[in-house]
Amino acid sequence: MKKGTILSIDHKYAYVFTSDCRMVKLLWQPDMAVGKEINMETTLAKTKPAVHKRRLRFTLAAACLVLLITAGLIISQGLSADPAYAVLSIDVNPSLELSLNKQLAVISCQAMNDDAAQLLKGRNLTGLAWQDAIARWTEMLRQSNQVSVQTMLISAVMPENADLLRTQLLNLDGSGNPGALAGVQVRVIYSNDQSVLTEADRNHLSIGRQMLLNQARVQNENWDETSIADAPLGDLIQKLLRDRDQNQTRLTERTTQPIGNQPGESASSGNAETNRETSRQTAGNAHGAESQQADRETSRQTSCESNMTASCESNQSQQTSQIRKAGN
């Protein structure tokens, strides 16, 4: 049976010199003391399970850490990959665009001009509820001391059945909001037409200013992409929105082309209507000509039949007269 003598002990281990002249490192136990002779087999039987448990705890801790990291990556990737349920633009002078998921939390934010990009640098609004994100953005604008936040246009492109988001947006319309929006004249417009996003991207406009451009086309106002992008927001709202409907869906569905003379009616539509009317008139004239031709033909036939009848009667009368004379 092997024995050993404990030569030293630190805060975790005991160093034992065995009877076969080996130095063994053992996990420290409460009954160990320097100079004490111990039975190696008995001591090893006590310390091995402890060592095994410690290694097991370390392995489990490492596995948990890996799982947490993996779960975090999956969640973050899932959040960023979540398709946008709705898109909001917040126009003051700097314009910001927020993409929302179905829980109405911000999954991405995009600066729409250089001023907004400078203010947003080093800051993150993702993960916030959209109302909190707008409040935070408003505070950033005020803290910059470069923007006087007096008028704000909040515009949304969202599904037709987004009842909760629509209600929350419309509740912000006006100047009686608390908190960060206190004293700000907020105007809210929205559309269920997804083509607004495409048009806005093509014209390098926020979706709010794209809807204002659509209004300008309907009202035959002399605005284009460049002038809409550079014009003061308050002037645009005053001239183009006034008391018009907040729901811009019907408008945006028919404004992919410049508008004609009548509001809401394109020039091509008017031309098509004119062409249809001309066709009807032409067809009517042709029908009238055919009717007149048929009438003339009928008249000629009637006349011929009448003449033939008169001629036959005359011949018959002459023959009858000659027979009478011959009999006499």
Side-chain angles (χ1 to χ4, degrees):
M1 182 178 295
K2 292 182 181 180
K3 294 184 178 182
T5 303
I6 299 175
L7 298 181
S8 65
I9 297 174
D10 60 20
H11 61 286
K12 286 185 178 181
Y13 302 102
Y15 299 89
V16 181
F17 186 74
T18 66
S19 57
D20 58 353
C21 300
R22 291 187 305 115
M23 183 66 72
V24 178
K25 180 180 177 182
L26 300 176
L27 189 65
W28 178 82
Q29 297 294 313
D31 59 345
M32 290 181 177
V34 175
K36 181 178 179 180
E37 186 177 72
I38 61 174
N39 185 312
M40 294 299 296
E41 293 180 358
T42 303
T43 305
L44 287 173
K46 292 179 180 179
T47 57
K48 281 183 178 179
V51 172
H52 176 72
K53 289 180 181 179
R54 187 176 65 84
R55 289 178 179 174
L56 180 60
R57 286 196 300 268
F58 176 79
T59 303
L60 290 174
C64 290
L65 180 61
V66 171
L67 287 174
L68 287 173
I69 294 173
T70 304
L73 290 174
I74 292 174
I75 292 173
S76 62
Q77 290 176 356
L79 182 61
S80 61
D82 192 4
Y85 174 73
V87 179
L88 307 182
S89 73
I90 300 90
D91 292 286
V92 180
N93 175 17
S95 295
L96 187 70
E97 190 171 277
L98 305 176
S99 296
L100 312 182
N101 60 16
K102 286 187 177 181
Q103 290 70 43
L104 306 185
V106 178
I107 57 176
S108 69
C109 57
Q110 179 182 0
M112 302 303 295
N113 49 32
D114 293 338
D115 291 339
Q118 187 65 30
L119 287 174
L120 197 61
K121 189 175 181 179
R123 293 166 175 167
N124 189 11
L125 301 177
T126 58
L128 297 176
W130 69 269
Q131 300 99 320
D132 295 336
I134 291 179
R136 183 80 59 85
W137 176 243
T138 306
E139 292 170 355
M140 291 181 193
L141 294 173
R142 285 174 170 160
Q143 291 171 1
S144 69
N145 294 322
Q146 299 176 1
V147 180
S148 176
V149 186
Q150 297 179 348
T151 302
M152 177 181 292
L153 177 65
I154 302 177
S155 312
V157 175
M158 59 187 179
E160 187 175 358
N161 61 353
D163 297 330
L164 176 59
L165 178 58
R166 179 169 54 253
T167 300
Q168 292 175 344
L169 282 167
L170 296 181
N171 285 339
L172 290 181
D173 195 276
S175 58
N177 292 294
L181 293 178
V184 179
Q185 183 65 44
V186 178
R187 188 66 196 270
V188 173
I189 54 177
Y190 66 90
S191 175
N192 306 134
D193 182 11
Q194 295 291 319
S195 67
V196 177
L197 298 173
T198 304
E199 288 288 304
D201 184 64
R202 181 167 61 238
N203 294 328
H204 305 290
L205 297 172
S206 69
I207 59 175
R209 288 186 182 256
Q210 178 62 46
M211 291 186 198
L212 292 174
L213 177 59
N214 293 339
Q215 278 286 358
R217 288 171 175 173
V218 168
Q219 299 176 43
N220 292 320
E221 295 286 348
N222 189 25
W223 298 88
D224 58 17
E225 295 86 347
T226 303
S227 58
I228 284 284
D230 297 335
L233 182 65
D235 293 347
L236 291 175
I237 292 176
Q238 179 65 29
K239 292 178 181 178
L240 298 176
L241 289 183
R242 295 189 292 274
D243 297 326
R244 296 183 181 272
D245 290 340
Q246 294 161 318
N247 187 351
Q248 303 283 301
T249 303
R250 292 182 180 178
L251 172 70
T252 57
E253 284 176 345
R254 64 175 188 264
T255 50
T256 54
Q257 298 295 332
I259 302 302
N261 294 330
Q262 296 297 327
E265 181 178 352
S266 65
S268 60
S269 175
N271 291 337
E273 184 64 29
T274 301
N275 291 337
R276 287 195 294 271
E277 185 63 30
T278 301
S279 298
R280 286 196 295 269
Q281 292 175 358
T282 302
N285 292 338
H287 179 69
E290 291 175 358
S291 299
Q292 293 174 4
Q293 181 68 20
D295 291 343
R296 287 195 294 269
E297 197 63 35
T298 301
S299 297
R300 282 197 297 271
Q301 291 175 358
T302 303
S303 177
C304 289
E305 290 174 355
S306 299
N307 291 336
M308 289 176 65
T309 301
S311 177
C312 290
E313 291 176 350
S314 177
N315 291 335
Q316 186 176 5
S317 176
Q318 290 175 0
Q319 291 175 358
T320 302
S321 178
Q322 290 174 358
I323 291 170
R324 287 177 179 173
K325 288 180 181 181
N328 294 329

